[in-house]
Amino acid sequence: MPTKLKQPASTARKTPANASAKVAFPVIAMAASVGGLKALSAILSALPADFPAAIAIVMHLSPDHDSVLAEILDRRTPLVVKQARTGDVLCQACVFVAPPNHHLFVANSGRLELSSSSAEKVHYARPSAEPLFASVAAVYRKNAIAVVLTGGDGDGSFGVQIIKDEGGMVIAQDQPTSEDFSMPKTSIETGDVDFILPLDEIGPKLIELVGAARANEQKQCCSPGAKPVMLKRRT
């Protein structure tokens, strides 16, 4: 039976009640832990250079060392991959990775914010998927897509419920291709996961979902009385 989980206190931060999506393109929030480098590499390498969506990633990392995750992923995908900093703005064909020991939030208008290094951990993790998922849901609503990948504990399981409550979509990696199925399994048990997919099908599914969202926006743009929708493009 689907289980509604108790909201971690830290997920409520940076998610104003009156927030709303300010851009037409989808925003994809991904979370991973054990086995995450392989999973993220496989997904990002399958996406085209002109992928019309923004991506934000949280992976559980050691707080005691600098991370080269963004640099590694940048070499494995045609997309631009950067370690997130407060003040960065989400844009199409760009990937932002949370740094070690900081939660990553998306504020209104797509601006990124990092928590302090002393912020409360969620599911024993900092960064955690929950603050990212909750903030993306609050700002981007139906344009939000959550992806829960291989990893331990139940991180992301509350955030996917917020994504669904706001009209977004959720993908979880399946058990056979997960190094640790705990994270996907806990999200699946909420009943709010739309697609349970093997790793090699997640990238193509994202292309399909983003393409459908873009087609829908263009259809609305061309309807009688509609105003043109301007998509922000990477320069």
Side-chain angles (χ1 to χ4, degrees):
M1 178 179 294
T3 303
K4 290 297 180 182
L5 306 175
K6 182 178 179 182
Q7 180 181 11
S10 294
T11 64
R13 187 179 173 187
K14 308 300 183 187
T15 54
N18 62 347
S20 61
K22 298 298 184 183
V23 294
F25 57 81
V27 173
I28 301 166
M30 299 186 185
S33 185
V34 178
L37 177 58
K38 175 184 176 182
L40 291 167
S41 297
I43 294 168
L44 295 181
S45 66
L47 303 178
D50 60 349
F51 188 56
I55 300 174
I57 291 174
V58 162
M59 182 166 159
H60 298 165
L61 300 166
S62 169
D64 302 320
H65 305 283
D66 292 336
S67 172
V68 293
L69 177 61
E71 288 87 343
I72 293 173
L73 293 176
D74 189 59
R75 295 195 294 267
R76 299 180 179 181
T77 177
L79 305 177
V80 174
V81 184
K82 303 176 181 179
Q83 183 163 286
R85 300 176 299 178
T86 293
D88 286 338
V89 178
L90 291 173
C91 56
Q92 294 183 79
C94 282
V95 181
F96 292 92
V97 179
N101 219 28
H102 298 270
H103 294 305
L104 175 61
F105 302 89
V106 178
N108 209 6
S109 300
R111 187 169 60 87
L112 300 181
E113 297 188 10
L114 300 178
S115 75
S116 72
S117 59
S118 60
E120 178 186 358
K121 291 184 178 180
V122 182
H123 298 295
Y124 309 101
R126 187 178 56 236
S128 164
E130 307 292 15
L132 175 62
F133 285 5
S135 62
V136 168
V139 177
Y140 290 94
R141 298 179 177 173
K142 67 181 179 64
N143 284 331
I145 301 173
V147 181
V148 183
L149 300 171
T150 175
D153 296 319
D155 197 19
S157 53
F158 183 80
V160 300
Q161 296 175 67
I162 305 177
I163 293 281
K164 288 303 296 180
D165 286 346
E166 295 294 344
M169 304 289 287
V170 180
I171 297 172
Q173 187 175 351
D174 71 357
Q175 184 169 7
T177 63
S178 294
E179 187 171 331
D180 189 327
F181 190 54
S182 299
M183 271 174 58
K185 181 176 183 289
T186 307
S187 289
I188 292 166
E189 288 174 345
T190 67
D192 285 324
V193 171
D194 298 287
F195 305 98
I196 304 169
L197 299 174
L199 183 56
D200 63 357
E201 293 184 17
I202 295 177
K205 177 57 71 173
L206 289 174
I207 294 172
E208 176 188 328
L209 293 176
V210 169
R214 190 175 187 184
N216 184 56
E217 291 290 350
Q218 290 173 341
K219 181 179 179 180
Q220 292 178 10
C221 174
C222 296
S223 64
K227 295 181 178 180
V229 176
M230 301 301 293
L231 299 180
K232 184 186 294 183
R233 297 190 179 277
R234 179 164 55 95
T235 58

